[in-house]
Amino acid sequence: MKLLVLGGTAWLGGTVAAEAVARGADVVCLARGTSGSVPGGARLVVADRDDPAALDAVRHEHWDAVVDVARQPGHVRNAVAALEPVAGRYVFVSTANVYADQRTLGQDEDSPLLAPLESDLMASMEEYGPAKAACEQAVVTTFGADRCLIARAGLIGGPGDRSGRTGYWPWRFAHPSNDEGRVLVPDALDRPTAVVDVRDLAAWLVDVAERGTAGVFDAVGQPLPLGEALETARSVGGGSTTLTPAGEQWLADHGVEEWSGPASLPLWLRDPDWWGMNARTGARARAAGLTNRPLADTFTDLLAWEEQRANPHGAGLTDDEERELLAALA
Ligand SMILES: NC(=O)c1ccc[n+]([C@@H]2O[C@H](COP(=O)([O-])OP(=O)(O)OC[C@H]3O[C@@H](n4cnc5c(N)ncnc54)[C@H](OP(=O)(O)O)[C@@H]3O)[C@@H](O)[C@H]2O)c1
């Protein structure tokens, strides 16, 4: 297979490129090269997609498939116009953020979407969902539904997750902040959560690019209660730790953020308007071959990866923060 990856210098795109190279594909990645390098065996074409002529170096040869991870509608509108005459099919990595209703649990791909962004440029991450909806629209309109696949990814986790959202928990259980081994968790253990391992997602994206599978798919992890995910992280982290739940209002009152970032408890979603994001069925993608490895395997490999980082968690609580909160809770 001759595969063009638009991206490939960052996490998911790089994993897709590496997977395709491992299967013997001829892989070219197009990016600026500012996010990193491309995996061994792939070739980087340096181009800035803000430039309307960015695709010139790749628009005159045939591609069996294109995989695109862009988020700017202008980048995708330009790419599909340039590549439709020379590419067999287009696989676009979208997001579950395109859905209008993030509250209802158990939804599938037929639920309503946000209105697509008209502008070529998303002004801020507030427009991420509409921007990705606009990207999807450009792909389907130009390539036609039979020649494209839209993969609406849920939260991606696994080794390489620099956000720390999925790495914090196995790391925290392996490195408790206090001698008693108490780990602060939100008292929201029945809340849905779902993580799709970056390697499972990348392997499936290469599968569908090879097979020419078309359609719209939620490429998500298997939903499970947050408490189950935390127990899995605890079993991977080892040691004799215990979960210490704190009330959601209490956490908010003490400045603890939900979901991600500094001073947060990652994966915790307090706002019911977002609970559905982690509870999409993903049945259609699984029927089309997406395989979700056990969360314990993802956490085990994540922990090994986190242990090698200088700053082991990009999200969550520092030791001092957790100790202070545990003392205040007592
Ligand atoms: N992380 C999650 O949990 C999550 C959840 C749902 C969906 N997603 C989706 O999953 C994908 C993640 O992809 P990723 O990790 O490979 O990439 P990423 O972190 O989104 O990086 C974007 C890629 O596009 C390239 N790029 C950005 N601006 C460019 C420009 N002006 N010209 C040329 N290339 C440009 C970057 O390379 P250079 O900087 O080197 O140019 C990089 O390779 C995205 O589509 C994201 O929306 C993520």
Side-chain angles (χ1 to χ4, degrees):
M1 176 173 63
K2 203 157 169 249
L3 178 69
L4 176 63
V5 178
L6 299 179
T9 53
W11 188 34
L12 176 61
T15 311
V16 168
E19 174 74 21
V21 167
R23 296 188 197 186
D26 177 4
V27 181
V28 170
C29 302
L30 184 141
R32 295 164 303 182
T34 50
S35 296
S37 52
V38 296
R43 182 163 62 88
L44 174 65
V45 170
V46 176
D48 186 340
R49 295 175 74 182
D50 289 342
D51 176 356
L55 279 295
D56 279 3
V58 294
R59 68 185 302 170
H60 299 295
E61 52 187 308
H62 170 77
W63 302 98
D64 294 310
V66 178
V67 174
D68 190 359
V69 298
R71 61 184 66 180
Q72 296 293 2
H75 289 179
V76 177
R77 289 170 183 148
N78 188 32
V80 292
L83 297 171
E84 190 280 328
V86 295
R89 45 197 175 269
Y90 205 96
V91 176
F92 181 68
V93 180
S94 189
T95 168
N97 288 63
V98 294
Y99 291 108
D101 173 7
Q102 300 286 356
R103 187 183 177 101
T104 307
L105 309 186
Q107 297 187 88
D108 64 18
E109 293 81 353
D110 298 328
S111 48
L113 301 185
L114 295 168
L117 192 70
E118 284 181 21
S119 170
D120 274 348
L121 194 65
M122 150 180 108
S124 75
M125 281 304 280
E126 296 288 307
E127 294 179 340
Y128 178 57
K132 284 289 216 180
C135 296
E136 290 189 6
Q137 189 182 54
V139 172
V140 176
T141 304
T142 305
F143 269 76
D146 293 345
R147 280 173 63 211
C148 68
L149 182 138
I150 307 294
R152 294 180 181 145
L155 177 68
I156 304 170
D161 178 9
R162 293 180 188 282
S163 80
R165 282 178 296 195
T166 57
Y168 175 74
W169 288 113
W171 184 87
R172 172 50 76 204
F173 283 107
H175 299 278
S177 67
N178 55 91
D179 292 341
E180 299 78 36
R182 296 168 67 209
V183 172
L184 191 71
V185 303
D187 192 4
L189 300 179
D190 56 350
R191 206 64 45 80
T193 194
V195 177
V196 60
D197 190 294
V198 65
R199 297 160 294 181
D200 296 337
L201 178 56
W204 183 70
L205 291 169
V206 177
D207 284 347
V208 295
E210 282 176 339
R211 287 199 303 259
T213 308
V216 178
F217 298 86
D218 287 342
V220 296
Q222 193 81 54
L224 78 170
L226 178 62
E228 210 176 296
L230 297 183
E231 281 299 343
T232 303
R234 192 169 78 91
S235 67
V236 165
S240 53
T241 45
T242 53
L243 276 61
T244 303
E248 297 186 88
Q249 186 61 50
W250 186 92
L251 288 168
D253 291 345
H254 286 76
V256 180
E257 302 289 337
E258 58 181 326
W259 190 240
S260 67
S264 71
L265 288 179
L267 308 186
W268 165 43
L269 278 178
R270 183 167 179 235
D271 182 349
D273 282 346
W274 286 98
W275 293 353
M277 185 176 66
N278 281 339
R280 309 197 68 84
T281 73
R284 193 186 290 178
R286 268 175 228 110
L290 174 66
T291 305
N292 296 119
R293 74 189 63 201
L295 187 58
D297 294 359
T298 298
F299 279 158
T300 299
D301 296 342
L302 253 169
L303 179 57
W305 180 78
E306 290 275 3
E307 297 286 12
Q308 291 171 15
R309 301 177 74 198
N311 176 13
H313 45 92
L317 302 174
T318 64
D319 287 357
D320 284 346
E321 286 167 348
E322 192 187 46
R323 278 193 292 264
E324 276 173 31
L325 287 160
L326 286 168
L329 190 65

